[in-house]
Structures are given as C-alpha cells and as structure tokens.
Amino acid sequence: MKKMLFIYNPNAGTGILKPKLSDVLDIFIKGGYEVTVYPTQSIHDAAEKVQSYQEKLDLLVCSGGDGTLNETVGGMQRCGIDIPLGYIPAGSTNDFAASLGIPKDILSAADTAVNGVPFSCDVGMFNEEHFIYIAAFGLFTDVSYETKQSMKNILGHLAYVLEGTKRIFNIPSYKMKVTHDGETFEDEFIFGMVTNSRSVGGFKGIIGTDVVFDDGEFEVTLLRTPKNPLELNELLGAILMKQINPQRMYAFKSGKVCFECEEEIPWTLDGEFGGAHREVLIKDKKQALKIMVRQEKATGLSVSGKIAEK
C-alpha cells in the first residue's frame, strides 16, 4: 500500500474534524493508503513532525487552520520534501482552501486529498521563513494570532471582526521604503499585504479577480496613511467597492519585493505571528508546492488556464 502521514490540529476551528475522523481515515484507506496519524500537541509541532519523519511517504495530508497548513508546508520546504500535500480545512477562516476550491465539507476535502489532482502552486519566502498565501503588516494583522482560540471556536470569523473593532481608533502608521522590479518608493502606510490568494480574512475580491497561483508573482497591496477624514473616506470607499484608488493605495504584482523601515514592524504570516523586522525580503518560489485539488478546479487556478480562457 502507499504510505501517508496525516497530521491534524485537534484544537482547530470548532473541532469539526473529531467526530468525522473515523470516516476520514476510511476514505484514506479506501484510497489505497496505509495511514500514520499524528495529532499536533503544540505550536510548531506540525513542522517538527514533518522534518523528523523518517519513513518514505507517497502523500502528506494535514488538517487544521491556515497556521497548521503554514507549519506543514514550511517543514516540507525546509526538508525538500517533494510529494503532494492534501489539505482538509478545519480552521475559522481557511482563506487559502477557499481560494483553491478545496471543499469546506470535511469528507469531500478528504476525498480531494486522495482522489484529486496535484496542482503546483507558488510558495512565499519571508526572509528565511515560508508562507503560503499572505504576509502582512499594519492594521488588524495581529488580530488572528491575538484572538483567543476559544473565542475563534465559538464565534468563527466574527471573532476577528470584534477583536479588530477595538483598535480602529488607534491606527499605527509606518514609514517604509519599498523596492521591487527596479523601482523604489517611500511612503507611510497603515496596512500592507503580499498575497497569493483570492480571499483574505474571509472576504473575496479585495485583491482582484485575476489572481492565479503558479505565475511566480504575488499581488502586493499597500494602503497609504490617510492624513484627514476625506482621505480616510476615500480609502474606505475603495476597499468597500473593491477598487484600486491610486491616490490612496499602491497595487502591483512582483516576484520579489523588499520592505525597509527605521523601526521594527510586526508581521503576520498566514495569520500567525511572523516576528518584528526592520527589513523584509519577500520572494516567490514558483510552483514549489504540489497541493491536491479537485480536477475541475485545477485549470482555473493556473496561468495557463487563464490564457486558455482568453
């Protein structure tokens, strides 16, 4: 039989995996896999398990929120493990799974993990760390890792909104130098994100509709610090209308971007704390991860599929 390592976070989301765990394992075994099961015990445990696992594997599957996925992929990338990864989303928001069309239903996602097709998507490098779909700084970016797990479990996405509203009247601003593709500019920002996703914080369409996941480029969105109520209204209006306002924000694609600041700025990577940094270099590792998706979704995720549509 083929070998699978199944890593899951028993505390993710509302615990929706636990009552279906037996059915999930049944799907894996019927798919032809001998399964080793590992429930994570603490933060960073998923990455450490991947890096310490000695047996040869045909498939790795993880289940949890975006943080569990981040850890698993980070462990794979550091070890150079080049096997497909299946993902069963069980967190509160699951942005990346939604972007890839991985089913929300636990059993359907398990079936996709073993019977789908591998899609080669990009992975981000953040200095020496990895991220899957978002590196961000500024307004609200600390909400996901500061919001208590119990609150996330009870309220789901509403927990992030409630936690975020506490700080709307105390917005920090960061003066930064940004360099990409031979261009450099300086400005003040309240928020910035480098993304490979069609959904951020559970909201779709903020970045745009032409996002693909294997083109070697990230979408970069930077919100300039508003100097008065009029500028703030213009910025909020652009966000609500999901439109780019070049006077209030920067938006561009790049495979490599550098951020420099005189003070240390806290960043979030896939919803988890990514440390505080004065200088950050973000690079796109093109098609570095093979993740299992539904066959009918694969074409729409790739740059070749978008070209064919046109």
Side-chain angles (χ1 to χ4, degrees):
M1 296 180 74
K2 295 174 288 185
K3 303 278 188 178
M4 176 200 295
L5 173 62
F6 176 44
I7 297 173
Y8 74 95
N9 180 354
N11 298 313
T14 53
I16 57 175
L17 177 70
K18 287 182 182 178
K20 298 184 178 179
L21 186 57
S22 178
D23 292 329
V24 166
L25 296 177
D26 187 56
I27 289 171
F28 291 164
I29 292 169
K30 283 184 168 64
Y33 288 92
E34 180 180 316
V35 186
T36 299
V37 181
Y38 184 79
T40 59
Q41 305 298 301
S42 60
I43 190 170
H44 305 311
D45 200 18
E48 290 169 6
K49 183 63 177 178
V50 170
Q51 291 173 252
S52 64
Y53 199 76
Q54 298 295 317
E55 292 187 39
K56 187 178 183 300
L57 291 170
D58 298 286
L59 179 66
L60 203 159
V61 179
C62 69
S63 180
D66 292 331
T68 303
L69 178 64
N70 173 286
E71 285 190 29
T72 303
V73 173
M76 294 175 72
Q77 293 291 309
R78 283 189 286 274
C79 292
I81 298 175
D82 188 28
I83 60 172
L85 172 69
Y87 179 45
I88 301 175
S92 303
T93 305
N94 307 308
D95 282 315
F96 193 62
S99 295
L100 293 181
I102 294 174
K104 294 180 181 179
D105 177 75
I106 293 290
L107 301 186
S108 297
D111 181 74
T112 299
V114 292
N115 296 314
V117 296
F119 170 71
S120 296
C121 69
D122 299 348
V123 172
M125 283 293 297
F126 177 95
N127 290 343
E128 300 303 315
E129 299 297 320
H130 293 86
F131 68 96
I132 310 304
Y133 77 97
I134 184 169
F137 69 86
L139 187 64
F140 298 167
T141 52
D142 59 346
V143 169
S144 62
Y145 59 80
E146 285 195 355
T147 305
K148 292 181 180 178
Q149 185 64 53
S150 58
M151 189 175 176
K152 293 181 190 177
N153 291 349
I154 295 168
L155 298 175
H157 182 66
L158 180 60
Y160 298 127
V161 177
L162 292 174
E163 190 70 24
T165 56
K166 294 179 184 177
R167 60 200 75 193
I168 189 67
F169 298 109
N170 186 24
I171 302 174
S173 178
Y174 304 103
K175 186 176 182 180
M176 304 182 77
K177 181 167 77 172
V178 182
T179 304
H180 72 96
D181 306 298
E183 177 186 352
T184 299
F185 58 88
E186 291 189 43
D187 213 325
E188 291 189 26
F189 305 103
I190 58 169
F191 175 79
M193 61 182 177
V194 181
T195 58
N196 195 33
S197 178
R198 293 173 184 169
S199 171
V200 174
F203 299 102
K204 296 181 179 180
I206 293 175
I207 301 151
T209 57
D210 205 26
V211 177
V212 293
F213 300 88
D214 63 350
D215 60 354
E217 291 188 315
F218 291 124
E219 285 68 38
V220 183
T221 308
L222 306 171
L223 306 186
R224 298 178 64 200
T225 303
K227 301 293 194 295
N228 53 58
L230 177 60
E231 290 186 1
L232 178 60
N233 285 337
E234 289 177 352
L235 178 60
L236 293 175
I239 294 170
L240 291 172
M241 297 297 292
K242 300 175 183 175
Q243 295 175 344
I244 301 299
N245 182 329
Q247 277 72 50
R248 304 275 69 85
M249 61 183 72
Y250 295 84
F252 56 90
K253 286 176 174 282
S254 182
K256 182 179 178 181
V257 57
C258 180
F259 298 89
E260 297 172 83
C261 187
E262 292 182 357
E263 61 181 308
E264 288 192 338
I265 296 178
W267 286 73
T268 178
L269 303 178
D270 299 329
E272 302 296 324
F273 184 53
H277 308 269
R278 285 191 177 91
E279 185 170 337
V280 166
L281 177 62
I282 294 177
K283 295 187 288 188
D284 187 302
K285 295 175 68 175
K286 186 176 181 179
Q287 300 178 13
L289 173 70
K290 291 183 290 205
I291 190 163
M292 301 297 287
V293 300
R294 291 188 290 177
Q295 186 162 5
E296 64 270 22
K297 292 287 185 179
T299 302
L301 303 173
S302 70
V303 65
S304 57
K306 285 293 182 182
I307 291 171
E309 284 179 9
K310 293 176 182 177

